[in-house]
Amino acid sequence: MDDFLKGLNEEQREAVTYGKGPLLILAGAGSGKTRVLTYRTTYLIKKMGIGPEKVALLTFTNKAAEEMRQRVKNLGGEAGSLGFAGTFHTFCAKLLREYGQNVAVMPNYVIFDSDDSEAVMKKVLKEMGIDPKESKPGMFLAVISRMKNDLVSVTEAETKASDYFRRLVVKIWKAYQDKLKKNNAVDFDDLVVKAVELLKINRIREEINEKLEWILVDEYQDTNRAQFEITRLLAGKKQNITAVGDAAQAIYSFRGADYRNLVLFKTEYPKAAMVNLPMNYRSTQNILDTAYGVISHNTTHPTLHLETVEGSGEMVNFFEAGDERDEAKYIVEQGRKTAEEDGAVAILYRTNAQSRAFEDELMRRDIPYKLVGGLRFYNRAEIKDLVAYLRVLNNPKEEISRIRIEKLGKRRAEVFDKWLEQKTDDEKQENPGRLLEEIINVVGFLERFDERDEDDAARIENINELLAVASDYKSVEKFLESAALSESEIKQHKSNAKITLMTVHAAKGLEFENVFVVGLEEGLFPHSRSMLSGEKEEIEEERRLIYVAMTRAKRRLTLSWARNRLVFGGRHSSIPSRFLSEVPERLLKKVGGVQEVERKMSKPLAEIDEFGEKKRIIVQDWEIAEATKDDFAEIDNW
């Protein structure tokens, strides 16, 4: 057993060998929380003599559960015999199969996934005379989901409904639940809510408490109210519960997660022991100090100042771009270099719409990449819909796009046709961004979306990005050609990719040798929605989000912002993110950027490279402009 513990540091050993009773482990980024959980599980079995069938491991993803099972097995902890090791939803589903009849859930019930739930909600809305295209099913499902996660019953919601919208939600909720019952079905939220109801039945809870005496919970900061209640009821009178979490990495409030459950743990279990894991095994000290400089400005939760075994490392790079194209060019070039030198590279952004500039630059330079957590920009449904309008404008005989437009609604197709008939040939050759904006207004394209719905808000951001990129082209034909070519080239970039594009939310739990956190501007990161709400909680979550982004980096971290961006088809000046000012200046090293380019502009051209029909102008290894052949007469005069 001494050999078994030899690989642990002092704090990890303290957490692993803790005896009976509640234990809260505050585990900083890269501090080995999975290792501690699996070692503690093995310790309970091998040292304390706990039967493996008495131990339950609860986590949030099947991948994490499988990793923990494998590690316990490798340590000789009889992982195959554990009472349970899996996600909350899997545990609750298993519980309902065995005991569900006690809460009116038959053993042969079916689980409706998100698509099934949306289909049911659409049917409910239609039967109530509500147009699902005008009032989004996803918005109602999100509101109902939040109430379920907070363990608010439909009866309680009805009592508190103080306005028309809330009363409507309750009416829709009742109809939705009736349909689920008729189908002998439960949705994902019902799995947990019904499990809570089950465990509140004394005889069933006592039976489960006898079967599972030791409860270990991963990512406790991501639990919602219902999941907190599950763990409380499972802990029972013996309270042999271990919870691992980090408030600084709580980034899923939009899913109902509540980091305050870490604080509630101490309230619920006043005798709980607490162990901090401040030693980081992933990042350099400069990266950790940069992240701490930002997260330490949060005041509503504790934060750990992490120390590392990896040394100080390089300073954090800071790049100030002229615009989003300069940002993409610099980041892609540096990403290519670092990928060749020392491994995986991640480009992390706040919104999916930001991927477009980087995708275009990567494909222009024929650099393989992976896009994680979303469709490629031109493959997104709302983008394909709008491009279809432009394709018909450019070629009225094009049938595929015509079919797509008609699927969006006969009223919209007719309005578009009338608008198109009134356009002269010259007007059809106007700036594609302006034409696209006209089309959006004429057909009421944005009426399909509700900004209160998280997915719709992301779609609107994608549309704004499309307006921006289309505005950069002189004709519809050129824009469509560029979009089509980039679409065909994607097939060449599926394998051997060392550069990964993803949102920060998608990067949670991952790590990379080199990380670029881009678009650090007010309104983008932190996002405008968090700023407009005026709520301190919203800004603090954005700060936790950038903390997560920074702590994905192992060796090298680069932060970037652009002085101006194309937004809504126009170019607007940007303000640097407040998070940049929160990083200690001693940790940052400015690289390239606007000021450096301006200083070098007066020096001779060092090189002119060809990129197909276009050429890029390089001054002392710095790309400062892009030009066509027609521009070279002016270039000669520089």
Side-chain angles (χ1 to χ4, degrees):
M1 187 52 63
D2 288 340
D3 288 340
F4 167 73
L5 299 174
K6 193 176 289 182
L8 303 176
N9 65 36
E10 185 179 340
E11 293 86 2
Q12 290 174 334
R13 192 177 296 112
E14 181 184 356
V16 166
T17 60
Y18 182 75
K20 295 181 178 180
L23 170 65
L24 178 63
I25 303 171
L26 295 182
S31 62
K33 67 176 179 60
T34 303
R35 189 180 201 198
V36 167
L37 269 179
T38 51
Y39 268 70
R40 177 154 175 75
T41 302
T42 308
Y43 184 86
L44 292 175
I45 296 167
K46 294 178 72 175
K47 179 66 175 177
M48 294 182 63
I50 307 299
E53 73 283 356
K54 297 278 188 182
V55 180
L57 272 169
L58 290 169
T59 186
F60 280 87
T61 67
N62 290 314
K63 181 182 176 183
E66 179 54 38
E67 182 183 353
M68 286 194 281
R69 274 194 296 265
Q70 191 59 48
R71 289 198 192 188
V72 171
K73 181 181 178 181
N74 293 343
L75 292 168
E78 304 177 54
S81 304
L82 290 176
F84 180 80
T87 66
F88 275 92
H89 288 97
T90 304
F91 175 80
C92 293
K94 185 178 179 184
L95 204 61
L96 288 175
R97 294 282 179 211
E98 192 170 349
Y99 299 97
Q101 286 177 302
N102 293 278
V103 288
V105 178
M106 297 300 106
N108 63 336
Y109 74 89
V110 294
I111 301 170
F112 276 6
D113 62 20
S114 55
D115 289 339
D116 298 326
S117 295
E118 185 159 339
V120 172
M121 182 57 76
K122 281 182 181 176
K123 197 169 184 182
V124 166
L125 294 178
K126 284 180 181 177
E127 289 175 0
M128 293 176 68
I130 301 170
D131 186 353
K133 292 179 181 177
E134 304 299 327
S135 298
K136 301 292 290 184
M139 185 267 291
F140 287 110
L141 286 169
V143 172
I144 292 168
S145 175
R146 177 57 66 95
M147 288 192 280
K148 286 182 176 182
N149 289 335
D150 288 341
L151 293 180
V152 176
S153 67
V154 68
T155 306
E156 185 182 350
E158 187 171 30
T159 304
K160 293 181 178 179
S162 57
D163 56 39
Y164 170 77
F165 178 73
R166 287 180 173 82
R167 288 191 292 272
L168 177 63
V169 168
V170 169
K171 189 178 177 182
I172 291 169
W173 187 358
K174 284 182 175 180
Y176 171 74
Q177 291 301 138
D178 284 344
K179 289 209 177 290
L180 290 183
K181 190 173 183 180
K182 285 178 184 175
N183 284 275
N184 189 27
V186 296
D187 62 19
F188 284 141
D189 298 315
D190 284 336
L191 282 174
V192 183
V193 172
K194 291 292 183 183
V196 170
E197 289 179 28
L198 263 180
L199 290 171
K200 284 186 175 179
I201 300 172
N202 288 340
R203 64 177 178 81
I204 293 176
R205 182 177 67 256
E206 288 168 4
E207 187 177 329
I208 300 298
N209 289 161
E210 280 297 312
K211 288 181 179 179
L212 301 172
E213 295 184 355
W214 294 80
I215 312 300
L216 295 93
V217 189
D218 189 20
E219 303 285 12
Y220 205 71
Q221 78 280 351
D222 292 336
T223 56
N224 56 38
R225 176 63 193 167
Q227 290 160 337
F228 176 89
E229 194 66 7
I230 289 281
T231 63
R232 186 186 72 82
L233 293 166
L234 285 177
K237 294 177 182 177
K238 293 182 180 177
Q239 296 190 348
N240 290 323
I241 179 171
T242 298
V244 180
D246 180 14
Q249 296 186 75
I251 60 173
Y252 296 124
S253 67
F254 65 94
R255 295 181 188 169
D258 191 346
Y259 70 88
R260 289 171 295 191
N261 286 343
L262 287 168
V263 178
L264 278 177
F265 190 94
K266 291 291 288 181
T267 304
E268 184 64 38
Y269 311 104
K271 295 183 179 178
M274 188 166 77
V275 177
N276 292 338
L277 301 182
M279 186 57 69
N280 176 281
Y281 292 89
R282 176 191 300 154
S283 308
T284 64
Q285 195 63 53
N286 282 337
I287 291 171
L288 296 179
D289 288 348
T290 297
Y292 182 75
V294 177
I295 197 64
S296 61
H297 284 76
N298 277 8
T299 59
T300 59
H301 58 79
T303 55
L304 294 173
H305 191 179
L306 302 177
E307 300 292 330
T308 185
V309 297
E310 299 295 332
S312 297
E314 298 181 16
M315 293 177 71
V316 172
N317 293 325
F318 170 58
F319 178 70
E320 181 180 344
D323 59 26
E324 74 283 353
R325 294 167 300 188
D326 291 339
E327 182 181 49
K329 287 174 182 177
Y330 177 80
I331 298 299
V332 165
E333 173 58 16
Q334 294 306 307
R336 180 192 65 77
K337 287 179 180 177
T338 52
E340 289 175 356
E341 291 167 7
D342 57 357
V345 170
I347 300 173
L348 306 183
Y349 35 79
R350 177 64 179 84
T351 67
N352 271 309
Q354 290 169 260
S355 73
R356 195 272 314 162
F358 297 98
E359 290 182 69
D360 286 353
E361 183 64 18
L362 284 158
M363 285 189 290
R364 186 176 74 86
R365 301 190 57 178
D366 199 31
I367 299 172
Y369 71 94
K370 290 184 288 186
L371 180 68
V372 175
L375 289 171
R376 195 179 166 276
F377 184 77
Y378 288 106
N379 270 350
R380 295 164 194 169
E382 62 277 10
I383 302 302
K384 290 176 83 74
D385 291 343
L386 285 173
V387 168
Y389 283 111
L390 287 182
R391 287 174 65 167
V392 171
L393 180 147
N394 190 58
N395 177 12
K397 294 181 179 180
E398 208 258 277
E399 292 182 354
I400 301 300
S401 294
R402 167 61 63 183
I403 292 169
R404 189 174 190 99
I405 289 171
E406 289 177 351
K407 282 183 178 179
L408 295 174
K410 191 174 180 182
R411 183 178 65 76
R412 286 198 175 98
E414 290 173 352
V415 171
F416 172 69
D417 286 339
K418 285 180 182 177
W419 173 84
L420 193 55
E421 285 173 11
Q422 296 169 4
K423 284 287 179 187
T424 66
D425 288 343
D426 286 343
E427 287 173 331
K428 290 178 184 178
Q429 296 305 313
E430 289 180 356
N431 179 274
R434 282 199 298 272
L435 287 168
L436 204 50
E437 197 166 2
E438 270 191 61
I439 292 168
I440 288 171
N441 292 328
V442 165
V443 304
F445 191 81
L446 293 179
E447 292 171 8
R448 304 163 54 196
F449 309 113
D450 188 330
E451 286 194 21
R452 295 171 294 182
D453 181 275
E454 191 78 24
D455 292 334
D456 275 2
R459 292 182 183 108
I460 292 169
E461 286 173 344
N462 291 336
I463 291 165
N464 290 335
E465 180 67 13
L466 182 67
L467 282 172
V469 67
S471 297
D472 256 4
Y473 288 81
K474 292 178 180 178
S475 70
V476 171
E477 190 176 80
K478 285 289 184 185
F479 167 70
L480 291 175
E481 180 183 294
S482 175
L485 289 174
S486 65
E487 188 63 34
S488 65
E489 288 170 6
I490 188 65
K491 294 176 183 176
Q492 303 172 15
H493 296 78
K494 288 185 176 179
S495 60
N496 303 320
K498 288 187 177 180
I499 297 178
T500 301
L501 305 181
M502 65 174 76
T503 64
V504 180
H505 280 106
K508 175 80 186 303
L510 304 177
E511 59 182 42
F512 301 88
E513 292 292 325
N514 310 283
V515 169
F516 297 86
V517 186
V518 301
L520 289 174
E521 297 137 40
E522 290 289 291
L524 196 52
F525 204 170
H527 197 280
S528 56
R529 287 197 297 272
S530 67
M531 296 163 64
L532 291 171
S533 72
E535 295 291 329
K536 182 180 180 181
E537 282 289 333
E538 298 279 347
I539 290 293
E540 290 212 348
E541 174 130 345
E542 293 288 304
R543 198 172 271 117
R544 293 193 291 271
L545 200 54
I546 193 170
Y547 176 82
V548 167
M550 290 173 171
T551 54
R552 300 310 93 198
K554 296 172 71 175
R555 292 288 171 267
R556 187 180 291 113
L557 173 65
T558 299
L559 311 176
S560 72
W561 78 287
R563 283 190 175 185
N564 64 75
R565 282 185 189 273
L566 278 171
V567 183
F568 299 108
R571 191 160 289 284
H572 298 275
S573 295
S574 306
I575 301 172
S577 169
R578 69 192 69 187
F579 302 148
L580 289 171
S581 66
E582 293 169 356
V583 175
E585 196 171 334
R586 63 179 175 80
L587 299 172
L588 293 179
K589 180 179 78 173
K590 184 161 187 195
V591 290
V594 175
Q595 293 173 4
E596 189 73 359
V597 173
E598 291 171 350
R599 182 179 64 79
K600 289 180 177 178
M601 283 282 283
S602 61
K603 298 197 176 181
L605 295 177
E607 179 186 359
I608 296 178
D609 278 356
E610 291 195 5
F611 266 88
E613 292 184 359
K614 290 191 173 183
K615 296 178 184 290
R616 59 180 179 142
I617 306 152
I618 299 178
V619 178
Q620 293 189 348
D621 298 321
W622 178 254
E623 186 172 334
I624 61 169
E626 188 173 58
T628 62
K629 293 175 182 177
D630 295 334
D631 296 316
F632 271 74
E634 291 183 24
I635 294 170
D636 288 339
N637 296 327
W638 286 5

